[in-house]
């Protein structure tokens, strides 16, 4: 199992390009199931989850042609089954995103019920309830979701009890081919939902209100092909900007989306970082200073994103002062804390709140990645720790960060991948 070996103490400095957003690419690849015409998706990140989604589409009989720049052309006209098997779904719960498109376009789908994951139970009840409201017949048996509809789904007014990103995305996709109008209320406003909606509009869907909490979709008979580039990854961008703040360095992230990180940039300024933005770049310059601790409370967009919580726990662990971090989205998203305690961090978790007392320094140690964003926070801690840190189970990192050692290495980090 690969490991990352990092020697801390280097002030990062340089420029790095943001990759395409994993959490926009996954629903957009699922959306290709809504048309039988050729469709090209560009700027895909080279990540394990993307490969898994392409494998899933291929396993259904879709033609998948990937070029060296990670643009992919999909041909869904050859689809010969609408099943997402357990073997694939268990490795990537975002496979649930094929459910809405398959039912809406082909009238049936069998998708293995995604289990929980390290960060929480991750139910999909809101996805299923929404599809039922649109007329789908849903049976859950033997670990599978078996969904079907005679004819077309019907437009419906759906109120989400909780803001759900993939729940909004699943029903947004299903509604594009439904008969009549669908209104999604208390919908997710994440930029990745907006990117999906823009891709669907490029395919001929009639959607308004995306980016607000009420999305209106007027169903059409069919969607056509398109060429669509995925938006830049705001969480990868934020992770590199925190790397600058935690090491006292200066990092510029290019080809990124400046508007989608307001909550994160404002918190970075609170740590004392100098933040400057251009048309498609963001720079953080810490000017050699130690960051000041900040309080974080995660919530749906546009509030502070849960996917940046672990990174700020790492920053607070070496900051001046005490930071309070409250995780409101997932029930078990502090697993990075136990690993950081091994590096000498002073963190106390009670329920969904972590109190982080900044230390003057951390000490390198062997640690283990537990989930995608937690593992990124271990990289950040290792970059600023004294001595060497070896991070195990880094397949978690490879799911969400493209070429992480090359990118951090280009900023001066002493980081290498140990194959074994
Ligand atoms: C998406 O997960 C992202 N994944 C997650 O990123 C992200 O952390 C999360 O949104 C929150 O922003 C993708 O987009 C592929 P939710 P998702 O449905 O859609 C509850 C990463 O690191 N809920 O918005 O699965 C749920 O338990 C990943 O890239 C229900 O109760 O999250 C949670 O408490 C991790 N019933 C809350 O809603 C449902 O049917 C928000 O979950 C659905 C969700």
């Amino acid at each position: 199992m690969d490991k990352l070996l990092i020697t801390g103490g280097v002030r990062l400095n340089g420029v790095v390009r943001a990759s395409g957003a994993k959490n926009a690419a996954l629903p957009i690849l699922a959306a290709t199931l809504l048309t039988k015409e050729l469709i090209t998706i560009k700027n895909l990140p080279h990540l394990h989850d993307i490969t898994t989604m392409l494998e899933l589409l291929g396993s259904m009989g879709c033609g998948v042609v990937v070029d060296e720049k990670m643009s992919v052309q999909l041909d869904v006209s050859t689809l010969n089954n609408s099943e997402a098997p357990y073997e694939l779904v268990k490795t990537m719960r975002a496979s649930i995103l094929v459910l809405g498109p398959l039912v809406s376009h082909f009238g049936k789908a069998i998708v293995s019920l995604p289990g929980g994951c390290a960060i929480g139970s991750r139910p999909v009840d809101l996805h299923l309830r929404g599809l039922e409201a649109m007329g789908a017949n849903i049976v859950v048996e033997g670990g599978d979701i078996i969904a079907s509809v005679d004819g077309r789904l019907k437009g419906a007014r759906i109120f989400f009890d909780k803001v759900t990103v993939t729940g909004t995305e699943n029903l947004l996709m299903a509604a594009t081919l439904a008969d009549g109008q669908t209104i999604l209320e208390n919908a997710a406003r994440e930029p990745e939902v907006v990117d999906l909606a823009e891709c669907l509009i490029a395919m001929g869907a009639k959607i308004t209100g995306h980016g607000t909490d009420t999305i209106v979709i007027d169903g059409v008979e069919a969607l056509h092909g398109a060429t669509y580039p995925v938006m830049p990854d705001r969480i990868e961008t934020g992770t590199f900007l925190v790397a600058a703040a935690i090491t006292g360095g200066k990092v510029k992230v290019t080809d990124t989306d400046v508007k989608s990180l307001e909550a994160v940039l404002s918190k970075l300024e609170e740590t004392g970082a100098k933040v400057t933005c251009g048309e498609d770049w963001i720079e953080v310059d810490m000017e050699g200073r130690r960051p000041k601790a900040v309080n974080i409370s995660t919530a749906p967009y546009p509030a502070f994103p849960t996917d940046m919580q672990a990174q700020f726990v790492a920053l607070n662990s070496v900051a001046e002062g005490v930071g309070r971090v409250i995780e409101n989205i997932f029930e078990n998203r502090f697993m990075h804390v136990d690993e950081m305690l091994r590096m000498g961090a002073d963190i106390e978790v009670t329920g969904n709140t972590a109190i982080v007392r900044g230390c003057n320094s951390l000490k390198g140690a062997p640690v283990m990645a537990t989930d995608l964003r937690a593992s990124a926070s271990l990289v950040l801690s290792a970059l600023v720790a004294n001595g060497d840190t070896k991070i195990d189970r880094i397949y978690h990192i490879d799911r969400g960060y493209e070429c992480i050692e090359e990118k951090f290495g280009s900023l001066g980090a002493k980081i290498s991948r140990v194959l074994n």
Side-chain angles (χ1 to χ4, degrees):
M1 211 180 280
D2 290 2
K3 293 178 175 59
L4 279 180
L5 181 58
I6 299 168
T7 303
V10 174
R11 204 168 273 171
L12 297 191
N13 197 322
V15 181
V16 71
R17 181 186 177 278
S19 301
K22 168 178 84 81
N23 290 352
L26 292 171
I28 286 171
L29 287 172
T32 63
L33 289 166
L34 290 163
T35 179
K36 289 195 176 67
E37 294 185 14
L38 287 180
I39 181 161
T40 300
I41 307 300
K42 302 169 88 78
N43 196 34
L44 287 173
H46 194 229
L47 297 172
H48 192 265
D49 274 8
I50 300 301
T51 311
T52 303
M53 181 60 88
L54 293 175
E55 266 171 38
L56 175 57
L57 295 172
S59 73
M60 292 180 198
C62 301
V64 179
V65 178
V66 189
D67 74 12
E68 71 292 343
K69 293 204 196 73
M70 280 300 281
S71 291
V72 65
Q73 184 184 72
L74 287 137
D75 177 359
V76 177
S77 65
T78 53
L79 182 132
N80 54 34
N81 86 76
S82 48
E83 293 200 27
Y86 178 64
E87 299 68 53
L88 281 171
V89 175
K90 73 180 177 187
T91 65
M92 186 187 66
R93 50 185 325 287
S95 309
I96 187 75
L97 285 164
V98 302
L99 181 66
L102 285 173
V103 176
S104 188
H105 191 190
F106 301 98
K108 62 180 182 341
I110 300 180
V111 177
S112 177
L113 188 64
C117 74
I119 64 178
S121 60
R122 314 286 298 270
V124 292
D125 56 309
L126 301 176
H127 300 234
L128 305 185
R129 214 181 299 157
L131 286 172
E132 285 177 326
M134 297 175 77
N137 176 41
I138 305 268
V139 172
V140 178
E141 70 181 21
D144 284 335
I145 302 165
I146 302 161
S148 61
V149 62
D150 294 332
R152 290 170 73 184
L153 290 173
K154 298 272 177 296
R157 176 184 285 271
I158 296 164
F159 184 90
F160 288 105
D161 297 348
K162 265 189 177 182
V163 174
T164 161
V165 173
T166 49
T168 300
E169 291 166 343
N170 234 332
L171 295 169
L172 170 61
M173 290 188 280
T176 57
L177 295 178
D179 179 10
Q181 184 176 78
T182 297
I183 301 176
L184 302 180
E185 293 186 287
N186 198 28
R189 301 163 55 186
E190 270 68 7
E192 293 77 18
V193 176
V194 174
D195 207 29
L196 169 64
E198 289 301 330
C199 177
L200 291 166
I201 290 167
M203 294 165 68
K206 293 195 178 346
I207 301 169
T208 56
H210 42 298
T212 77
D213 62 2
T214 303
I215 305 177
V216 180
I217 308 104
D218 289 301
V220 295
E221 294 281 330
L223 294 183
H224 51 69
T227 294
Y228 192 82
V230 164
M231 69 176 280
D233 195 316
R234 63 193 174 105
I235 302 303
E236 184 203 26
T237 299
T239 303
F240 280 107
L241 296 176
V242 170
I246 200 171
T247 59
K250 177 176 171 182
V251 172
K252 181 178 192 177
V253 182
T254 59
D255 294 299
T256 192
D257 183 316
V258 178
K259 302 174 304 300
S260 60
L261 274 171
E262 292 94 344
V264 173
L265 299 185
S266 131
K267 280 296 167 185
L268 279 168
E269 285 176 333
E270 233 183 280
T271 69
K274 204 172 95 194
V275 180
T276 44
C277 299
E279 170 84 9
D280 63 352
W281 58 265
I282 306 173
E283 181 179 85
V284 161
D285 186 353
M286 205 57 188
E287 298 166 334
R289 290 188 301 276
R290 181 182 177 190
K292 292 200 273 301
V294 291
N295 294 331
I296 301 285
S297 183
T298 66
Y301 192 85
F304 190 91
T306 175
D307 291 350
M308 285 297 302
Q309 176 259 102
Q311 294 88 320
F312 271 79
V313 167
L315 183 145
N316 276 342
S317 68
V318 292
E320 221 170 280
V322 181
R324 188 188 62 247
V325 178
I326 304 175
E327 172 54 58
N328 297 302
I329 304 289
F330 291 113
E331 63 266 33
N332 187 32
R333 204 168 198 180
F334 282 130
M335 281 177 305
H336 42 289
V337 168
D338 288 340
E339 298 305 306
M340 287 183 194
L341 294 179
R342 291 173 47 76
M343 301 174 74
D346 179 354
I347 308 171
E348 210 176 309
V349 175
T350 313
N352 71 339
T353 300
I355 302 297
V356 188
R357 290 177 182 79
C359 304
N360 289 326
S361 66
L362 297 176
K363 183 125 182 45
V367 291
M368 188 171 69
T370 52
D371 64 272
L372 171 51
R373 306 304 171 182
S375 31
S377 67
L378 296 180
V379 172
L380 296 175
S381 303
L383 289 172
V384 74
N386 294 326
D388 293 347
T389 298
K390 196 177 260 192
I391 304 177
D392 200 351
R393 300 190 178 180
I394 56 168
Y395 54 86
H396 290 291
I397 294 183
D398 294 335
R399 292 188 51 192
Y401 289 90
E402 187 178 49
C403 312
I404 193 159
E405 67 267 32
E406 284 84 355
K407 289 194 173 186
F408 273 118
S410 73
L411 298 173
K414 289 185 191 139
I415 180 170
S416 59
R417 184 176 289 252
V418 181
L419 307 175
N420 69 358

